Amino acid sequence: QVQLAESGGGLVQTGGSLRLSCAASGRIFSGYGMGWFRQAPGKEREFVASIGWPGRATYYADYVKGRFTISRDNVRNTVALQMNSLKPEDTAVYYCAREKGAGVAASEARYDYWGQGTQVTVSS
């Protein structure tokens, strides 16, 4: 059974930081790219960041570039999203997902497994 489980969400003030983590189970992590997406209330889900296998390639949405950092631990089968300088507009449910190949991708269609999401709320 393939599972992705996010953790680390919560409530933080503007300018604060949070670190999200996604743990993968099963044979779904090794050799595959991973990504983070988010969905704010009333909005479509949008791409945040992606990291390829084994972790040299990364790709960020413009609205998080320079503030968020994606990384992966290929021994522990985890992918993290370090979020700094958070803004109220970063408030959303954040999802991790597995890319169908080993690269980086921004399109949801390139991802085949998704976690349940973790809520991030940034207060002003």
Side-chain angles (χ1 to χ4, degrees):
Q1 181 69 22
V2 172
Q3 288 186 331
L4 295 172
E6 303 94 338
S7 62
L11 174 64
V12 64
Q13 292 185 333
T14 297
S17 298
L18 279 175
R19 184 177 179 86
L20 305 183
S21 184
C22 174
S25 65
R27 295 183 294 174
I28 70 165
F29 192 83
S30 178
Y32 293 93
M34 299 294 293
W36 287 95
F37 290 75
R38 69 186 185 186
Q39 186 168 22
K43 294 188 177 181
E44 296 289 317
R45 189 158 56 185
E46 62 182 9
F47 170 73
V48 174
S50 176
I51 187 165
W53 175 266
R56 287 185 289 271
T58 58
Y59 182 56
Y60 296 92
D62 287 344
Y63 34 82
V64 304
K65 200 173 295 183
R67 299 188 298 124
F68 291 12
T69 302
I70 189 171
S71 60
R72 64 189 300 159
D73 184 329
N74 296 332
V75 173
R76 293 181 173 84
N77 288 354
T78 60
V79 59
L81 185 69
Q82 177 66 42
M83 306 186 295
N84 299 329
S85 303
L86 283 162
K87 307 175 182 179
E89 51 263 45
D90 294 318
T91 295
V93 177
Y94 283 71
Y95 299 89
C96 74
R98 188 194 79 165
E99 206 257 324
K100 295 177 182 178
V104 294
S107 170
E108 286 191 40
R110 292 291 307 273
Y111 292 83
D112 53 4
Y113 292 105
W114 295 80
Q116 293 299 307
T118 186
Q119 176 70 47
V120 171
T121 302
V122 184
S123 64
S124 56

